[in-house]
Amino acid sequence: MARRHWPVVLLVALACAEEPPIRPPPEPSLELEPPSIEQVVAEPIHREGDVDWPIAPAFHDDSEYASAAPAEARRIVYRVSLIVPRSLGTPSPAIPRPTAELYVDVGRDRLRARFGGTGWPVHAGSEVRLRRDASGVYVFDGEGGRPLGPGQLAHWFEGGRLRASPGHRVTIPPTREQSGPGDLICRLIAEWSSAPPDAVSRRCGEGGSPPSFRVGLWRADRTADVGVDLPRSALRADHVDPPPPIPRAANRAFLTPEMMLRIDPRRGRGPSEPHPSTLGHEPPSEGILVENRAPTRIMVTVQGAPIGWLDAGTSAHYVGLRPGPYEVGAMRPFGLQAAQARLVAAPVTVRLPR
C-alpha cells in the first residue's frame, strides 16, 4: 500500500526542491511614485557567492511560459545615443559619445529588454520584462528584482519622481515590415516614457519593430533584427530565472581618464572668482568631485560632454581632467536640465545644483 504512494511523495519532494514557497502577489499599484526597495522586496532571496540579491515576487505568476517548448521571436538591437542640450555646451568631436545599446528579445506576447553598455544612467545589464496581458513591468537591476506598476519604469530610469513627461517619438516601420510582435516594443516605450500604451502602440503599425525611436533625449536606431527560436522560458516575464546578479553602483563614469584628457580647458581666463557652488568645499587632488543635491539622479557634463551619472544624495569623483577652467553642468536622465553650466577651475568640488 505504501509503495503506491512513492511516486506522489517523490513528485512533492522534487517540487519543493525546485522552487521555494512564494507569497501571494500584491495588487499592482497605480501610483506613479516608484516603490522603495523596502516596500517591494520580499522572499525569496537569490544568493550567488557572497552576494545577497533580493528578488520580489511578480504581481502575476508567468507559469504559462515555464516550458522549454520552442517559441518564435525576434532579436533586435538598438544603438542608443544621448542628445545633450545646447545650453550645456557643445562637446568636441574628439570626445567619444557614451556607448549604449538596447538588446530586445520579443515574442508574440512577451518581451525582455537589456540595457547594455556603460552609457546608460542605470546599472549596466539592467533587464526589463513585460507581457501583453498585464500592465507594468518587472525590473532587474543592481538593487535586485521587483515589479513596477504602470508608468513607474519612467521613475526608475529617472532615479526619482518625474518633473514632466519625457515625451517620445516613434518611427513607423515600412509597410513590408509591419508584421510580427514589434508592437510590444511600443508597449515598452510607453512604460518607459509614462505614456498611455494605446496611444504609443498605434505608431508601430501592424506590429513591426520601429526602425528608430526617441524617449526624452535618448535616440535609438535599430542595427539588427533577426528571427530566432527561443525556449518559452527564455521569454518568461516574472521573477523566475533571473539574470546573474547585476553590480550595484551609486555612480558611474562614462569616460575613462584617458578620454577625459581629451577635454580641453576653456580658452582665455578662468573664473574671476570661485562659483558659489564651490565655496566651503575642499577640492580634490585632481579632476572634479561632484555632490548631487538634486532629488533625482543626474548626468554631469563638462564642456557639453556627458562624463558620468550619480544618484541623488551621493558624490562622485571624476578624474582625468587637466587643471584649468571648465564649464560644468548637469541634466536629468531624460534630458531636463538639472543645473546650468557654470565656469569652475579644476581641480574642484562642485555641488549640483547649487
Side-chain angles (χ1 to χ4, degrees):
M1 186 69 175
R3 185 174 300 174
R4 290 201 301 268
H5 294 285
W6 287 357
V8 177
V9 173
L10 181 59
L11 287 175
V12 172
L14 288 175
C16 293
E18 289 176 358
E19 293 190 9
I22 298 175
R23 300 191 315 178
E27 292 295 322
S29 171
L30 297 180
E31 297 180 357
L32 290 182
E33 180 69 8
S36 67
I37 293 297
E38 292 75 17
Q39 289 173 322
V40 301
V41 168
E43 293 292 341
I45 297 294
H46 174 73
R47 290 185 173 88
E48 182 164 316
D50 295 328
V51 178
D52 286 348
W53 205 42
I55 305 294
F59 292 145
H60 308 282
D61 178 76
D62 199 13
S63 56
E64 181 183 349
Y65 271 71
S67 74
E72 292 184 358
R74 307 294 301 180
R75 179 156 289 169
I76 306 167
V77 180
Y78 286 97
R79 180 77 171 183
V80 185
S81 57
L82 173 64
I83 303 169
V84 178
R86 292 183 179 179
S87 59
L88 293 176
T90 303
S92 166
I95 312 302
R97 294 289 184 92
T99 301
E101 289 184 311
L102 188 69
Y103 301 93
V104 182
D105 284 344
V106 55
R108 178 180 177 83
D109 298 307
R110 301 291 188 274
L111 177 147
R112 288 187 181 184
R114 182 168 59 87
F115 291 78
T118 59
W120 292 108
V122 295
H123 299 146
S126 294
E127 183 176 294
V128 175
R129 301 178 178 183
L130 65 80
R131 50 193 295 178
R132 185 183 298 277
D133 59 350
S135 57
V137 301
Y138 194 94
V139 166
F140 292 99
D141 62 9
E143 303 296 331
R146 58 205 179 277
L148 300 179
Q152 291 182 336
L153 185 64
H155 295 269
W156 168 80
F157 191 81
E158 185 89 335
R161 180 182 287 274
L162 293 176
R163 185 186 299 175
S165 173
H168 64 274
R169 184 180 301 168
V170 182
T171 302
I172 299 177
T175 303
R176 66 182 182 276
E177 296 184 11
Q178 290 189 14
S179 62
D183 59 322
L184 283 184
I185 297 178
C186 280
R187 267 284 307 281
L188 173 66
I189 295 170
E191 295 284 355
W192 193 356
S193 60
S194 192
D198 291 343
V200 182
S201 62
R202 288 195 293 269
R203 301 295 299 173
C204 284
E206 297 298 323
S209 62
S212 64
F213 65 85
R214 183 167 151 178
V215 177
L217 293 185
W218 296 90
R219 177 182 170 85
D221 293 291
R222 188 181 60 190
T223 58
D225 183 350
V226 297
V228 293
D229 286 330
L230 298 174
R232 285 174 67 86
S233 59
L235 292 169
R236 187 166 180 156
D238 60 5
H239 60 283
V240 178
D241 295 331
I246 297 166
R248 182 179 301 181
N251 59 73
R252 188 182 189 98
F254 291 149
L255 304 177
T256 65
E258 292 74 19
M259 292 296 104
M260 295 278 280
L261 278 171
R262 297 186 183 181
I263 303 179
D264 294 323
R266 183 171 175 175
R267 294 181 180 180
R269 297 178 58 185
S272 57
E273 58 184 30
H275 192 276
S277 68
T278 68
L279 294 175
H281 302 282
E282 187 68 23
S285 58
E286 64 170 315
I288 60 172
L289 178 64
V290 179
E291 297 181 4
N292 180 10
R293 297 304 179 93
T296 67
R297 185 177 298 131
I298 63 171
M299 294 183 294
V300 181
T301 62
V302 174
Q303 310 287 69
I307 64 168
W309 63 267
L310 65 159
D311 280 335
T314 66
S315 301
H317 188 193
Y318 301 102
V319 300
L321 288 176
R322 289 167 284 168
Y326 296 89
E327 285 191 336
V328 177
M331 56 194 293
R332 290 189 175 202
F334 279 120
L336 193 66
Q337 184 170 288
Q340 292 181 342
R342 76 280 308 266
L343 193 61
V344 299
V348 65
T349 296
V350 182
R351 178 180 292 175
L352 298 174
R354 64 173 180 174

